[in-house]
Amino acid sequence: MPKQKTDPQEIVKSALNIFLEKGYHNTSMADIANETGLLKGSLYHHFKGKEDLMKAVISSIHEWYKREIFTIKDEKTFSTDQKIQALIKASEEIFFNRRGGNFMTNIALETLNVVPEFTAMFRAFFRDWIHCVKTVYAEVFPEDEAEQLAHQSISEIEGAVVMMELFNDKNYLRRAHKRIYNRFKSLSSVTK
Amino acid sequence: MPKQKTDPQEIVKSALNIFLEKGYHNTSMADIANETGLLKGSLYHHFKGKEDLMKAVISSIHEWYKREIFTIKDEKTFSTDQKIQALIKASEEIFFNRRGGNFMTNIALETLNVVPEFTAMFRAFFRDWIHCVKTVYAEVFPEDEAEQLAHQSISEIEGAVVMMELFNDKNYLRRAHKRIYNRFKSLSSVTK
Amino acid sequence: MPKQKTDPQEIVKSALNIFLEKGYHNTSMADIANETGLLKGSLYHHFKGKEDLMKAVISSIHEWYKREIFTIKDEKTFSTDQKIQALIKASEEIFFNRRGGNFMTNIALETLNVVPEFTAMFRAFFRDWIHCVKTVYAEVFPEDEAEQLAHQSISEIEGAVVMMELFNDKNYLRRAHKRIYNRFKSLSSVTK
Amino acid sequence: MPKQKTDPQEIVKSALNIFLEKGYHNTSMADIANETGLLKGSLYHHFKGKEDLMKAVISSIHEWYKREIFTIKDEKTFSTDQKIQALIKASEEIFFNRRGGNFMTNIALETLNVVPEFTAMFRAFFRDWIHCVKTVYAEVFPEDEAEQLAHQSISEIEGAVVMMELFNDKNYLRRAHKRIYNRFKSLSSVTK
DNA sequence: AATGAATGAGAATTCATTCAT
DNA sequence: AATGAATGAATTCTCATTCAT
């Protein structure tokens, strides 16, 4: 049975979905093959192995964020307020619909101390994310306060994701977003 | 070879340590046996299997919290302020020195969907924790605000743990604790 | 917790029951201990091990047959016809209520080629049984015909037990008994 | 090491042989792998596990019977007498040379209550066998007598197999076959 | 005698990976 | 590229047996 050419990105997508659903360790190459419609052996034409595939997934999400989210900070036409609202809106879209965000939280925690290369990649992602948020805050607040706020915001979102996962309740994230926005508004009004 | 009696709690402790170090999936029964000095087979005397042992670990941590932490809310001689300070101090002690706290975050996320029974146990733990914090807040704030604040506080701590884990930086948690305390102070001064 | 003195025959009975229920291989020493109310280790005070216990079971059944069944052939006051009826009645009682008979069929087949000592014991039992039946037949028929009939009768009963087991239908055995008796009646009327 | 393609039927055959030799419980997957020349793990490519493999063995024997034996009843060119002789000849060939027959007796009894699915399969086999024999008898005898005779014949063969197994004596089966044939002859002559 | 913890030798099974076709 | 059989190491779990108390 000849098969269509397989886009490696298709495999990455499938892998992302199953990793999220079952966790990294609980997911077998057979599961991934199954999801893609390929057979186990065929995966090895595209990726060196499970770790390699995992790295591609992390990388893919990171790249997507770089392209779609972290660019918000550079939107010339957006006010700071608009940027923050855009970031929040994107975050909600991601966590509720795409789940790439959960991946970076859940799978990161699961694999953090398992493979050092994963750790580095997760850190790079979060550094970029923090940097993006900080850059926006820095339009209004002094450098070190912006830095602080960025760390705090991401941390708050991460906590909300954990609770959301645990209790299956999206409100945790909604409320976190709201708090972040309100804090920005009240602080920036003071600053002005 | 003499047959030492083994306290099952010893096994639970060993398991807790290795689960924390290597993660649940990455830990084999042989690892645990090794840590306890028993042979693999002997573990099955005390626990039906890996899942059962895991449940014992979760339960043991939960019980410890119930005994040592969640009772803080009932300390007759403590003011609300003192209770919150005590909770924070305990939290810091736990997360920095005992690592049982991280377990409830990291291993929870890794195993949340592995077995429904785990999910239930983790949820029970967090419900109890939230309930404890809420009870303290309720001494000063109205019921629903106390509830909100409790959820927010735990969520914030969870986020800090994720970041702390990720970047190996305890300051995340320290700052989260500080924020929680300050928020309490400023809100309660308003209330009064 | 001190326990009453344990009669080894109690253990043998329990073992018989579980062997029958679960088969020899599928039964663990723990199962037997459980049934007797003892703990695993205690069984080894009475029997050298599983094989030894099994031999005691086989032996016990054999002895019981020797005492209760195979003596029928020597009943001075019974006619041949009465002896055959008594044997059949006993057989029915055994297979339907005591199940010792099934043991000698089912467990024999399961363990026949597993432990040579079992084989010898099962053979001895069946030789005795055949001998008993033959002795009765020999009251009426010539030696070699009696021998033939005995083998055939036992064989028929064994077949019926297999079918009974397979289809959970006691009628197989009832009909086999009926055939055996009728055959005896018709043959002996001819002989006279 | 070159990777030979293995016909799953080869595995089934090997399994059949070892199951017969050592019994189901006493046979390990390693034994089977060893017999086939594969490694343990490789067996799981073809069969989900030991039970699954066992089912394939039972099924394979059943299918073989359906194809080679149970079709005898439909041989247009055979008289009833010839059909019975053919069935008997086949039975002898099977039990003496192929051993698949013993499987359906010995292993059936050993595994009857291990897994309900086995029970169902063994019953299906025996029902088919009985049906085949009954159909042949029904050419000469009334329906219900044919049914009775079929049950009796199979039961008799089963008993003979037990005795044959027990005493390692093929004569039991030979005599059972002879009896079955003679009974048919004498009854059918009466009927005519 | 009884206990029950400990042993240790396997058992079945899983799975990432390799490789001939 | 894709296939899918084969590999082999690792993993969970079982169980007859031993032994200190």
Side-chain angles (χ1 to χ4, degrees):
Chain A
M1 277 164 266
K3 294 268 166 184
Q4 277 93 39
K5 273 187 211 168
T6 302
D7 180 358
Q9 273 307 310
E10 284 302 312
I11 299 177
V12 168
K13 252 184 219 165
S14 300
L16 163 57
N17 283 328
I18 315 196
F19 281 151
L20 255 171
E21 187 187 324
K22 315 182 59 163
Y24 177 75
H25 288 98
N26 238 12
T27 298
S28 71
M29 290 300 268
D31 290 331
I32 297 167
N34 200 47
E35 178 91 356
T36 56
L38 290 175
L39 292 195
K40 251 194 317 179
S42 309
L43 293 177
Y44 289 82
H45 283 286
H46 305 282
F47 301 95
K48 271 189 281 184
K50 197 177 172 183
E51 282 187 12
D52 193 46
L53 181 47
M54 173 69 167
K55 286 184 212 161
V57 173
I58 303 174
S59 187
S60 150
I61 298 178
H62 194 162
E63 288 307 315
W64 185 89
Y65 264 81
K66 275 187 190 165
R67 221 171 37 240
E68 308 286 333
I69 310 296
F70 301 161
T71 46
I72 288 174
K73 72 176 190 300
D74 305 315
E75 281 288 347
K76 307 284 181 202
T77 64
F78 277 20
S79 70
T80 304
D81 188 299
Q82 283 173 316
K83 287 181 185 176
I84 291 188
Q85 285 196 51
L87 280 170
I88 285 174
K89 210 178 143 197
S91 180
E92 231 149 270
E93 154 75 6
I94 292 159
F95 282 105
F96 293 165
N97 304 331
R98 292 180 183 266
R99 307 196 304 164
N102 293 48
F103 188 94
M104 288 310 209
T105 308
N106 299 0
I107 309 294
L109 277 188
E110 181 187 341
T111 60
L112 213 48
N113 299 311
V114 174
V115 179
E117 279 147 308
F118 295 169
T119 316
M121 295 183 79
F122 286 121
R123 281 181 186 162
F125 167 80
F126 278 95
R127 281 210 188 90
D128 273 11
W129 190 13
I130 291 165
H131 175 72
C132 163
V133 173
K134 179 207 132 179
T135 306
V136 175
Y137 280 133
E139 293 175 10
V140 179
F141 305 115
E143 191 78 2
D144 60 341
E145 197 183 342
E147 177 93 28
Q148 241 350 284
L149 277 173
H151 280 277
Q152 186 183 337
S153 301
I154 306 299
S155 180
E156 216 160 345
I157 288 171
E158 288 307 292
V161 170
V162 170
M163 301 305 278
M164 175 171 86
E165 195 73 8
L166 190 59
F167 288 112
N168 233 330
D169 179 353
K170 294 180 175 178
N171 286 315
Y172 280 101
L173 190 60
R174 284 202 192 96
R175 285 194 298 255
H177 283 146
K178 212 172 284 175
R179 281 199 303 272
I180 289 169
Y181 183 65
N182 289 341
R183 183 184 312 125
F184 163 73
K185 291 301 276 182
S186 73
L187 283 174
S188 63
S189 73
V190 168
T191 303
K192 268 181 264 173
Chain B
M1 270 166 260
K3 320 227 164 174
Q4 297 291 341
K5 300 237 172 180
T6 303
D7 181 356
Q9 274 308 312
E10 285 303 311
I11 299 176
V12 169
K13 253 183 217 163
S14 298
L16 164 57
N17 283 329
I18 316 194
F19 282 153
L20 259 169
E21 187 186 324
K22 314 181 59 162
Y24 176 77
H25 288 99
N26 238 16
T27 297
S28 71
M29 290 300 268
D31 291 332
I32 296 167
N34 203 47
E35 177 90 357
T36 52
L38 291 174
L39 293 193
K40 256 187 313 176
S42 308
L43 294 179
Y44 290 84
H45 245 285
H46 305 280
F47 302 96
K48 272 187 284 187
K50 196 179 171 182
E51 284 186 9
D52 192 47
L53 181 47
M54 173 68 168
K55 285 186 214 161
V57 173
I58 302 174
S59 187
S60 151
I61 299 178
H62 192 161
E63 289 306 315
W64 185 89
Y65 264 81
K66 274 186 191 165
R67 222 172 36 241
E68 308 288 333
I69 309 299
F70 300 161
T71 45
I72 289 175
K73 71 177 190 300
D74 305 316
E75 281 289 349
K76 307 282 183 203
T77 63
F78 278 20
S79 70
T80 306
D81 188 298
Q82 283 173 315
K83 287 180 184 176
I84 291 188
Q85 284 195 54
L87 281 170
I88 285 175
K89 209 177 143 198
S91 179
E92 230 149 272
E93 154 75 6
I94 291 160
F95 282 105
F96 293 165
N97 302 335
R98 290 181 184 266
R99 308 196 305 162
N102 293 46
F103 188 93
M104 288 310 209
T105 308
N106 299 5
I107 309 295
L109 278 189
E110 181 188 341
T111 59
L112 208 50
N113 299 311
V114 170
V115 170
E117 279 146 308
F118 293 173
T119 318
M121 294 183 81
F122 286 123
R123 282 182 185 162
F125 168 81
F126 277 95
R127 278 208 190 93
D128 273 10
W129 190 12
I130 291 167
H131 175 73
C132 165
V133 173
K134 179 206 132 177
T135 305
V136 176
Y137 280 134
E139 295 176 8
V140 178
F141 305 114
E143 191 79 1
D144 60 340
E145 195 182 341
E147 176 95 29
Q148 249 339 295
L149 277 172
H151 280 278
Q152 186 184 336
S153 301
I154 305 300
S155 181
E156 217 159 342
I157 289 172
E158 287 306 291
V161 170
V162 171
M163 300 307 278
M164 175 170 90
E165 198 73 8
L166 188 60
F167 288 113
N168 233 330
D169 179 353
K170 296 180 175 177
N171 286 316
Y172 280 102
L173 191 59
R174 283 200 195 96
R175 283 193 299 256
H177 285 146
K178 209 172 287 176
R179 281 199 302 273
I180 290 168
Y181 184 66
N182 290 340
R183 184 183 314 125
F184 164 72
K185 291 303 276 182
S186 72
L187 283 174
S188 61
S189 73
V190 168
T191 302
K192 267 180 264 175
Chain C
M1 278 163 262
K3 293 271 165 181
Q4 279 89 38
K5 273 187 212 169
T6 302
D7 179 359
Q9 274 307 310
E10 284 302 311
I11 300 177
V12 168
K13 252 185 218 164
S14 299
L16 164 57
N17 282 329
I18 316 195
F19 281 150
L20 255 171
E21 188 187 322
K22 315 182 62 164
Y24 176 76
H25 288 98
N26 237 12
T27 298
S28 71
M29 290 300 269
D31 290 331
I32 297 167
N34 200 48
E35 177 90 357
T36 56
L38 292 174
L39 292 195
K40 250 194 317 180
S42 310
L43 292 179
Y44 289 83
H45 283 286
H46 304 282
F47 301 95
K48 272 189 281 185
K50 197 179 174 185
E51 283 188 12
D52 193 46
L53 181 46
M54 172 69 167
K55 285 185 213 161
V57 173
I58 303 175
S59 187
S60 150
I61 299 179
H62 193 161
E63 288 307 315
W64 186 88
Y65 264 82
K66 273 188 190 164
R67 221 168 40 240
E68 309 286 333
I69 310 297
F70 300 162
T71 46
I72 289 175
K73 71 176 190 301
D74 305 317
E75 281 288 346
K76 305 286 182 199
T77 64
F78 278 19
S79 69
T80 305
D81 188 297
Q82 283 174 318
K83 287 180 183 175
I84 291 190
Q85 285 194 51
L87 281 169
I88 285 174
K89 210 179 142 194
S91 180
E92 232 151 88
E93 154 74 9
I94 292 160
F95 281 104
F96 293 165
N97 302 332
R98 292 179 182 267
R99 307 197 304 165
N102 293 47
F103 188 94
M104 288 308 209
T105 308
N106 300 359
I107 309 296
L109 278 187
E110 181 187 340
T111 60
L112 214 47
N113 300 309
V114 173
V115 179
E117 280 147 306
F118 294 171
T119 316
M121 296 183 79
F122 285 123
R123 281 182 186 162
F125 167 80
F126 278 96
R127 278 208 190 92
D128 273 10
W129 190 12
I130 291 166
H131 176 71
C132 164
V133 172
K134 179 207 132 177
T135 305
V136 175
Y137 279 133
E139 292 176 10
V140 179
F141 305 116
E143 190 77 4
D144 60 340
E145 196 182 340
E147 176 94 29
Q148 243 346 287
L149 277 172
H151 279 278
Q152 187 183 336
S153 300
I154 306 301
S155 180
E156 217 159 343
I157 288 171
E158 288 306 291
V161 169
V162 170
M163 300 305 279
M164 178 170 88
E165 195 76 6
L166 189 60
F167 287 113
N168 232 330
D169 180 353
K170 294 181 175 178
N171 286 314
Y172 280 101
L173 191 60
R174 284 199 193 99
R175 285 195 297 256
H177 283 145
K178 211 172 284 176
R179 281 200 302 273
I180 289 168
Y181 183 65
N182 289 341
R183 184 183 313 124
F184 163 72
K185 292 302 275 183
S186 72
L187 283 175
S188 63
S189 72
V190 168
T191 304
K192 267 181 259 173
Chain D
M1 270 168 259
K3 321 227 165 172
Q4 297 290 342
K5 301 236 171 177
T6 302
D7 180 356
Q9 275 305 313
E10 285 302 312
I11 300 176
V12 169
K13 255 183 216 164
S14 299
L16 164 58
N17 283 329
I18 317 194
F19 282 153
L20 260 169
E21 187 186 324
K22 315 180 60 163
Y24 177 77
H25 288 98
N26 236 16
T27 297
S28 72
M29 290 301 267
D31 292 330
I32 297 167
N34 203 47
E35 177 91 357
T36 53
L38 291 174
L39 294 192
K40 255 189 313 178
S42 308
L43 293 179
Y44 290 82
H45 246 285
H46 304 282
F47 302 95
K48 272 187 283 187
K50 197 179 172 184
E51 284 186 8
D52 192 46
L53 181 46
M54 172 68 167
K55 286 186 214 160
V57 172
I58 303 174
S59 187
S60 151
I61 299 178
H62 193 161
E63 289 306 315
W64 185 88
Y65 264 81
K66 273 187 190 164
R67 223 171 35 239
E68 308 287 332
I69 309 298
F70 300 161
T71 45
I72 289 175
K73 71 176 191 302
D74 305 316
E75 280 289 346
K76 306 284 182 201
T77 63
F78 278 20
S79 69
T80 304
D81 189 297
Q82 282 173 319
K83 286 179 183 175
I84 291 189
Q85 284 194 51
L87 280 170
I88 285 174
K89 209 178 142 193
S91 180
E92 229 148 272
E93 154 74 9
I94 291 160
F95 281 105
F96 293 165
N97 303 332
R98 288 179 185 269
R99 308 197 305 163
N102 294 46
F103 187 94
M104 288 309 209
T105 308
N106 299 4
I107 310 295
L109 278 189
E110 181 187 343
T111 58
L112 208 49
N113 299 311
V114 170
V115 170
E117 279 146 308
F118 293 174
T119 318
M121 295 184 81
F122 286 124
R123 282 181 184 164
F125 168 81
F126 277 95
R127 279 209 190 93
D128 274 9
W129 191 11
I130 290 166
H131 176 72
C132 165
V133 173
K134 178 207 134 177
T135 306
V136 175
Y137 280 133
E139 294 176 8
V140 179
F141 305 116
E143 191 78 1
D144 60 340
E145 195 182 340
E147 177 94 28
Q148 248 339 294
L149 278 171
H151 280 277
Q152 186 183 334
S153 301
I154 305 300
S155 180
E156 218 160 342
I157 288 172
E158 287 306 291
V161 170
V162 171
M163 301 306 280
M164 176 169 91
E165 199 73 8
L166 188 60
F167 287 113
N168 232 329
D169 179 352
K170 295 180 176 177
N171 285 315
Y172 280 101
L173 190 60
R174 284 202 192 97
R175 285 194 298 257
H177 284 146
K178 211 172 284 174
R179 282 200 302 274
I180 289 168
Y181 184 65
N182 290 341
R183 185 185 311 125
F184 164 72
K185 291 303 276 184
S186 73
L187 284 175
S188 62
S189 72
V190 168
T191 303
K192 268 181 263 175

